[in-house]
Amino acid sequence: MTKKKLVIVGNGMAPGRMLEHLFDKDKDAYDVTIFNAEPRVNYNRLMLSPVLSGEKTYEDIITHGDTWYAENGIRLHKSSRISEIDRTGKTVTSENGVTASYDKLVIATGSSPFIIPLPGKDLEGVLTYRDLDDVDRMLAAARGGGRAVVIGGGLLGLEAAAGLKQQGMDVTVLHLMPTLMERQLDPAAGFLLEEEFKSRGIDVLTRANSHEIVDDGTGKVKAIRLDDGTEIEASIVVMAVGIRPSADLARSAGLETNRGILVGDDMRTSDKDIFALGECVEHRGLCYGLVAPLYEMAEVIADNLLEGASEYTGSVTATKLKVTGVDLYSAGDFAEGEDREEIVLRDAAAGVYKRLVLKDNTIIGAVLYGETADGPWFFDLLKKETDVSEMRETLIFGQAYQGGAPLDPTVAVAALPDDAEICGCNGICKGKIVTAIKDKGLSDLDGVRAHTKASASCGTCTGLVEQLMQVTLGDAYNPAAVTPMCGCTHLGHDDVRRLIVSKELKSIPSVMQELEWTTSGGCAKCRPALNYYLVSDWPDEYADDYQSRFINERVHANIQKDGTYSVVPRMWGGMTSSDELRAIADVVDKFDIPAVKCTGGQRIDMLGVKKEDLPAVWEDLGKAGFVSGQAYAKGLRTVKTCVGSDWCRFGTQDSTGLGIKLEKFMWGSWTPAKLKLAVSGCPRNCSEATCKDIGIICVESGYEIHYAGAAGLEIQGTVVLGLVSSEEEVIEYVSALTQMYREQGRYLERIYKWAKRIGHDEIRSQIMDDADKRKAYFERFVFSQKFAQVDPWSERVSGKDKHEFNPMAVLQAEAAE
Amino acid sequence: MTADIHNWVQIGSLEDIPQEGARCVKNGDMTIAVFRTASDDVYALEDKCPHRNGPLSQGIVHDGCVTCPLHNWVISLETGTAQGADEGQTLAFPVRLEDGRVLIDLSYSHQAV
Ligand code: SRM
Ligand SMILES: Cc1cc2nc3c(=O)[nH]c(=O)nc-3n(C[C@H](O)[C@H](O)[C@H](O)COP(=O)(O)OP(=O)(O)OC[C@H]3O[C@@H](n4cnc5c(N)ncnc54)[C@H](O)[C@@H]3O)c2cc1C
Ligand code: SF4
Ligand code: FES
């Protein structure tokens, strides 16, 4: 019996695997001929990165050497690219003139790197990353040193970047999206990855849009220019922005193609004698870029070549990044959704982040960073759609924690006999503690310490004592006396603030990771708070996250009940002029603003402005010299004044002038809650300074600084901080006090509540008595003002956040009924 | 009844919407808020809180929900239902993402009344 002829186009990973299956089943069924455009045998493409980094050589990654082809009687035509398939005559012909006839044909042409059509893309030194030749080119370039710019922060780009760095090049990664590997990773894990790359000395620019590759004048790469004008010098540019199935050959042979070559579940193309395999395939609308699905396809084709009836029904894929020292694994779907639940585990000390996404009690997605050993186990549960409700509590800890003893520690404590010793230092046994809790009605740890001495010495038994209280009191026991910031953490505001500073956390994702947030992205309570703490603690470094701000602070106007906005410009110290009033009147007319009102804060409010009109309103106001009054801000609001010594017959000092100076010095600063000031020219107090957050009462001998008043939900008279003698001192003391509050206040806590918590004595001693402390606070305030005193209105007039103010699309009115 | 009729309309591209933010689409008298989450999922709701018609597009986006800017109701982006103890629902439109283009199915706006 003559053997049937099998021809394979492309000698990549998928057909190599297919042949292994085929020969396993029937060694003699086919006479095999392979054409490969690459000048070599089949090698493990996944391992190109270790070759690039120098951890492996080409020889190490060969899958099938020349002898394997010889032993299996395979004709391998290297460096032979097939350019034509004649389906009627059943032959294929290569560019270099070799023709072979087939009974069955397998097209396995893989895919080719996508080249962004940038000016300069054809320059010498612009490379892609797909095969060994690309690796050789990169290694040659690396020997010349200089900087490599990698476009694309996905799997391939990052592996190339890490390899080139290890080869001694300076490396910059440009990534279009806000976080790395956004297709495989959620933002938190993407952030960790970015930090890891940066710590290796690799520059990472996200949201970076490449504009042009710059010629050095001789046809070689010199630099790359971004849309924002930044230019980065580069001796090579590696494009790793994605792949495209190589379907042209099949398309020109008249086979049905779309993005890839279309196949059915039997892996046949629209011609029953032609199969397609690997990355060039489109199956049920999907093209794959990882080997696992290709291997499944390979097995199906091997069987169908032998008249089997196997079917391929699609795959779920998992990704691992192969950069030495980075452990990262992702699988499935990790988008948020209402029908989904997530389990997050963060272990900051160990640099671990794990997230599982569950739907209907099955795992549908997993992202693991730092510790990936359980990846395959989660992936297996995911693929098998195993019901995980039984192991939910311990699921995230991994396979090792399943089965065996229950993990709940309180169960173990409850089971202890009464005479078991709990506190070794003080020799206190369980029975004594339980009795004290019950008889004395103790409900917190301090109470137990006071009455029994348990855990009052070295403290190592604190956990045990708490569990015991839990067992004894049940729900009545609230272990943490601190109230957590929100449901996303067990830490209170003070702990979070302290840790942000001591651990030098400078972004919301890093706070959430390092402080082990239990949700992946926080909530509407913690995000604005964290944003404030970071603005306050790192004024020069932190990039304000405007999506974590309440709408008023995001668009710099106050939202009204009907969705319109109110606009309140600053009128320094409540003073205005005919020019200003005229400008306001013009704006009101021009934009048809329905209401104008004097506020309780001595300035003018224009109410009912349409959101789309805001930038134009601000532009006109800006021309008249107005800046935002920040009537919406958790920050400095108004400084009310009275007419003072300029006009008033009782005025002792220039209260109006001082108010204006204070407002001009302090505007723009963000504070935990709103901050309102007033300066009165004498104790008659016409500007109501004694119910303000900070108030100044001018007297003959100087200035009495008051603080901690309020007249809103609570009416609260101020207390006196102290008396100073000059305007300069007022500014210094008031700024120092404000800075102390900015650094210690909890988000939304007004100054009177903060003061109640800290104690007036403490505040007075730091601000009035300790000149060094006061000066240090003052300097930190001045420093942060350098970054805060930017008028948000003029910023937006010049285009910032312009998407906020325009609809994304205006559709026809017809669908409106 | 209208379950099979779809009216997919392209409204822009994913990049047009800030992450954890929203943009508005005007459809006649109705405003539709189109949200993008941190993980780049896109949802569309009528821009009207079930409580007192607050503009949901102006809220803070988190955990597959948006917090209304007026009185802090939390609304599911996927279904438009109020979370927790609050009761109410706003209209949710099916959304499709294709190669970075955002499409919404307007046939649902007919079911509103
Ligand atoms: C416009 C104005 C009323 C007026 O027409 O006069 C006003 C309007 C609002 N006040 Fe006020 N307050 C205004 C002066 C005051 C005053 C009087 C003052 O500053 O001397 C007080 C009492 C003093 C005080 O703050 O202690 C005041 C105490 C409050 C409170 C209670 C705060 C508290 O901690 O107890 C709130 C609620 C809050 O902030 O959470 C509030 C909140 C609001 C909000 C922002 C409600 C909101 O969250 O949307 C209102 C915004 C309307 C808008 O869009 O413009 N407003 N509000 C005043 C603007 C002053 C300005 O020029 O910036
Ligand atoms: C650097 C790198 C790292 C990777 N890491 C991973 C990983 O960690 N995990 C993972 O799952 N996947 C990874 N991949 C993807 C994986 O390598 C591919 O999915 C897989 O190799 C595709 O196999 P294939 O047989 O379909 O195509 P290929 O292996 O690309 O083989 C196609 C072959 O066909 C040849 N060819 C094309 N057209 C013709 C023609 N007309 N005539 C003759 N020959 C032709 C090509 O020259 C090529 O040799 C990585 C890829 C790269 C480049
Ligand atoms: S007193 Fe109440 S109703 Fe009046 S502006 Fe202030 S918050 Fe609004
Ligand atoms: S209108 Fe949305 S919460 Fe009131």
Side-chain angles (χ1 to χ4, degrees), chain A residues 749-804:
Chain A
E749 180 178 59
R750 277 186 86 170
I751 209 166
Y752 71 91
K753 291 188 187 159
W754 164 74
K756 205 178 288 171
R757 187 160 62 78
I758 301 292
H760 293 295
D761 290 342
E762 179 64 27
I763 294 169
R764 275 190 209 110
S765 83
Q766 292 203 20
I767 302 297
M768 296 306 300
D769 308 338
D770 187 337
D772 290 344
K773 271 232 164 84
R774 179 179 63 243
K775 290 221 152 54
Y777 279 126
F778 177 69
E779 271 155 29
R780 288 202 292 279
F781 182 80
V782 171
F783 178 70
S784 82
Q785 283 298 79
K786 284 209 293 200
F787 310 95
Q789 287 195 328
V790 182
D791 176 34
W793 288 355
S794 71
E795 270 190 318
R796 274 145 195 89
V797 168
S798 43
K800 191 168 190 276
D801 305 334
K802 58 175 181 289
H803 60 85
E804 267 288 351

Side-chain angles (χ1 to χ4, degrees), chain A residues 520-653:
Chain A
S520 60
C523 69
K525 266 195 189 151
C526 59
R527 274 184 22 217
L530 292 179
N531 193 57
Y532 166 69
Y533 296 153
L534 291 163
V535 167
S536 158
D537 291 335
W538 315 110
D540 51 337
E541 292 175 73
Y542 177 64
D544 206 316
D545 176 25
Y546 98 142
Q547 297 300 358
S548 293
R549 286 194 177 271
F550 181 67
I551 182 64
N552 289 357
E553 291 185 354
R554 201 155 78 221
V555 300
H556 298 277
N558 295 58
I559 195 165
Q560 305 295 312
K561 59 186 257 189
D562 61 354
T564 63
Y565 286 81
S566 77
V567 170
V568 187
R570 275 200 191 281
M571 284 182 171
W572 307 100
M575 292 292 283
T576 186
S577 66
S578 57
D579 282 344
E580 283 190 353
L581 293 172
R582 204 169 285 117
I584 288 180
D586 288 343
V587 165
V588 170
D589 286 346
K590 179 165 165 191
F591 295 95
D592 225 352
I593 297 175
V596 189
K597 179 181 183 302
C598 291
T599 72
Q602 295 187 346
R603 43 200 194 166
I604 292 178
D605 193 352
M606 288 159 264
L607 295 129
V609 182
K610 289 192 273 309
K611 193 179 185 193
E612 303 86 274
D613 288 343
L614 286 172
V617 166
W618 295 332
E619 185 169 6
D620 283 5
L621 290 172
K623 283 184 195 143
F626 283 115
V627 298
S628 169
Q630 273 127 348
Y632 44 79
K634 305 289 174 245
L636 185 87
R637 297 264 179 110
T638 51
V639 181
K640 297 198 340 181
T641 69
C642 69
V643 287
S645 58
D646 264 2
W647 298 96
C648 178
R649 64 200 164 104
F650 296 116
T652 61
Q653 311 279 357

Side-chain angles (χ1 to χ4, degrees), chain A residues 177-178 187 335-336 338-339 522 524 527 547 549-551 554 559 561 565 611 803 806-812, chain B residues 11 18-21 23-27 38 40-41 43 58-59 61-64 67 69-70 76 78-79 83:
Chain A
M177 302 303 290
E336 296 163 355
E338 198 219 359
D339 55 344
R527 274 184 22 217
Q547 297 300 358
R549 286 194 177 271
F550 181 67
I551 182 64
R554 201 155 78 221
I559 195 165
K561 59 186 257 189
Y565 286 81
K611 193 179 185 193
H803 60 85
N806 302 316
M808 180 180 177
V810 178
L811 307 174
Q812 294 299 319
Chain B
I11 53 165
Q19 271 193 333
E20 299 188 301
R23 293 289 303 275
C24 294
V25 170
K26 301 265 181 207
N27 184 30
D40 284 347
D41 296 303
Y43 299 98
Q58 317 292 299
V61 176
H62 58 92
D63 284 328
T67 294
L70 293 196
S76 156
E78 195 177 347
T79 61
Q83 305 292 289

